[in-house]
Amino acid sequence: MDAVETSEAPVVAAGHIYADGDRVAEHSHGRAQLLCVFGGAVTVSTREGSWMVPPDHALWIPAFMPHGTDMIGDVRMSSAYVRPEAVSGLPARLVVTGLTSLMRSLIAEAVLLSGEDPGPRARHIFGALLHEIPHLPERPLGLPFPTHGRLAALCRDFVSDPSAHTDIDDWAAAAGMSRRTFTRAFRQETGLSLSTWRQQACLLAALPRLGAGEAVTTVALDLGYDSVPAFTHMFRRMLGQPPRSYFRGQQAVA
């Protein structure tokens, strides 16, 4: 990691392999990090919330942001560490993205080339990698947490036992607020409606289980969905594909 911080190159790449249950304690970098996952899944926790990174996705972590990382399954990942001023259009906030075919090839080659003399080919590859980052498709796999004490407690309780059935009036009463005040406060704190936040929490709970091969029916019913089609509809709306097609796509990429 010292080499990443001391390098004068605009981007440095490295590959990593972790075992299931490994944890990287909270830390930060002087560079932004594009964390690309190719096997297993990764949960990244910050003081602003939690983000899930399933296979064939990436997480953009701004420079100097403290974060801890937990591994789900045997994880293969590569990271590009980017100087914030390296190219215009880089994300200003933490965001999960999909990985384009071009980025998959660029990051794999960049890992092989890092540490070598930056010849013309390497400079072109690293330059293309930098310019591809702003074009990565954003995915709704973040789960921002409110800072308000009662709202944060409700969210933590939900994450520990997620359910598709969440009554906004019950949450408002538990927070000691009117429905209108709660709705406004929750959106101000998280940037999301309770309904959208709940769906993203359920999605983050479902992805590791589905990725590990659990049946869609089992996961859907455990999360409180009345039927598999209802769960599939939510999954398709959030990630663009039904669960079986989505994970077949990830396996094909791997």
Side-chain angles (χ1 to χ4, degrees), residues 20 54 58:
D20 182 28

Side-chain angles (χ1 to χ4, degrees), residues 109-235:
E109 197 64 23
V111 169
L112 296 177
L113 292 170
S114 282
E116 297 185 5
D117 291 335
R121 178 173 178 270
R123 287 196 294 269
H124 282 299
I125 288 172
F126 285 119
L129 187 154
L130 286 172
H131 284 87
E132 182 68 2
I133 292 172
H135 298 282
L136 296 176
E138 185 172 344
R139 296 289 186 253
L141 295 173
L143 196 64
F145 271 64
T147 57
H148 184 285
R150 283 175 291 183
L151 297 183
L154 287 167
C155 290
R156 285 194 297 269
D157 289 345
F158 184 88
V159 169
S160 66
D161 186 21
S163 170
H165 298 293
T166 300
D167 190 295
I168 191 170
D169 291 318
D170 290 341
W171 279 50
M177 300 177 180
S178 69
R179 181 189 178 103
R180 181 176 180 181
T181 299
F182 174 87
T183 300
R184 183 172 61 249
F186 194 88
R187 185 176 288 277
Q188 287 176 343
E189 290 271 329
T190 65
L192 302 172
S193 68
L194 176 61
S195 175
T196 300
W197 188 93
R198 180 205 70 197
Q199 289 173 349
Q200 292 186 193
C202 287
L203 190 62
L204 264 65
L207 280 170
R209 296 177 60 183
L210 294 170
E214 285 196 50
V216 175
T217 300
T218 300
V219 175
L221 295 179
D222 282 353
L223 290 174
Y225 281 85
D226 295 327
S227 66
V228 172
F231 173 79
T232 300
H233 176 75
M234 179 278 294
F235 196 102

